[in-house]
């Protein structure tokens, strides 16, 4: 076996081992982050003007209603994505790979390096490490919390009617927010006390 071929096979084996090990560690992490995409509509039933907000994990983000640029929020639609490692090996065309390894470069042939180019392209696609996938509502860990007052004050009970809850959690698509349509002053995007995956 040629030295060049041995190096290539050793490189493929080491990359495959690293990808598999990383996937096992990542999929077992309890702190796996979700990306949350929130579409807020000015009217119930997902109608009227709309604005899309994005939260990519980490600390909670508080968004004032004025920044959303809607007079009120009548309905909310949520979409969550999580990156899942799912290693997949797609073997390259053996004939093309062999041609690329054994051919001698000919500078006078304009198509002399085509086999090498195709082989490198196929080798780059050998390992697929995963993709962004939708998160089912039952496994979701993120959502939107609606606040009737500034979150820091409302949490300590200073804002709003003392008998009313100063916040409302939205963890699934909600076609009609009811009284929260006019009560909402702030939206908080992030992890909440909903289901944990």
């Amino acid at each position: 076996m040629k030295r060049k071929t041995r190096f290539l096979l050793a490189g493929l084996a080491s990359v495959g081992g690293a990808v598999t090990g990383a996937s096992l560690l990542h999929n077992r992490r309890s702190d796996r982050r979700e990306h949350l995409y929130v579409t807020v509509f000015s009217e119930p039933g997902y109608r009227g003007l709309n604005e899309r907000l994005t939260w990519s994990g980490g600390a909670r983000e508080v968004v004032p209603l004025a920044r959303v640029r809607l007079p009120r929020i009548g309905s909310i639609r949520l979409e969550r994505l999580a990156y899942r490692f799912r290693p997949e090996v797609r073997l390259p065309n053996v004939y093309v790979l062999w041609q690329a390894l054994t051919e001698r470069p000919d500078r006078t042939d304009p198509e002399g390096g085509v086999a090498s180019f195709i082989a490198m392209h196929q080798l780059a696609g050998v390992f697929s490490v995963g993709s962004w996938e939708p998160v089912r509502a039952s496994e979701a860990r993120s959502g939107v919390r609606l606040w009737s007052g500034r979150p820091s004050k409302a949490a300590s009970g200073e804002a709003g009617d003392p008998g009313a809850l100063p916040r409302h959690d939205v963890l699934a698509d909600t076609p009609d927010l009811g009284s929260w349509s006019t009560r909402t002053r702030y939206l908080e995007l992030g992890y909440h006390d909903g289901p944990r995956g």
Side-chain angles (χ1 to χ4, degrees):
M1 188 181 288
K2 287 187 172 183
R3 186 176 182 183
K4 190 174 175 182
T5 307
R6 282 196 306 260
F7 280 132
L8 178 66
L9 292 176
L12 287 174
S14 62
V15 168
V19 166
T20 303
S23 70
L24 291 173
L25 286 174
H26 180 81
N27 287 337
R28 293 179 184 213
R29 286 175 48 182
S30 60
D31 64 339
R32 177 182 49 85
R33 288 189 177 177
E34 293 177 359
H35 284 209
L36 174 66
Y37 302 93
V38 180
T39 307
V40 290
F41 297 84
S42 61
E43 301 296 328
Y46 313 116
R47 293 177 310 188
L49 301 172
N50 66 68
E51 192 78 27
R52 188 171 168 105
L53 305 170
T54 303
W55 179 75
S56 56
R60 294 178 181 185
E61 181 183 351
V62 176
V63 180
L65 184 60
R67 194 169 105 198
V68 177
R69 293 177 290 173
L70 296 177
R72 62 185 188 150
I73 298 174
S75 50
I76 293 179
R77 186 169 278 155
L78 304 177
E79 179 186 359
R80 301 169 181 99
L81 297 176
Y83 191 81
R84 301 207 194 266
F85 270 111
R86 294 208 175 155
E88 181 185 351
V89 178
R90 292 184 295 267
L91 296 176
N93 184 313
V94 178
Y95 176 75
V96 173
L97 188 60
W98 183 253
Q99 287 292 100
L101 290 172
T102 59
E103 81 175 349
R104 296 188 180 253
D106 182 4
R107 295 180 188 209
T108 61
D109 184 5
E111 297 179 2
V114 170
S116 295
F117 177 77
I118 293 172
M120 290 305 293
H121 182 44
Q122 287 186 355
L123 286 175
V126 164
F127 295 106
S128 171
V129 295
S131 59
W132 287 96
E133 295 181 2
V135 177
R136 284 183 276 163
S138 60
E139 298 174 358
R141 301 183 298 164
S142 59
V144 180
R145 181 167 284 165
L146 306 177
W147 291 90
S148 58
R150 188 175 292 276
S152 58
K153 290 181 180 178
S156 62
E158 294 174 24
D161 181 8
L165 287 174
R167 67 181 188 191
H168 175 68
D169 286 349
V170 178
L171 302 174
D173 290 352
T174 306
D176 189 356
L177 287 170
S179 67
W180 278 96
S181 177
T182 55
R183 290 180 65 191
T184 301
R185 297 292 171 262
Y186 293 89
L187 295 91
E188 182 182 6
L189 313 178
Y191 292 122
H192 296 300
D193 301 327
R196 302 253 170 197

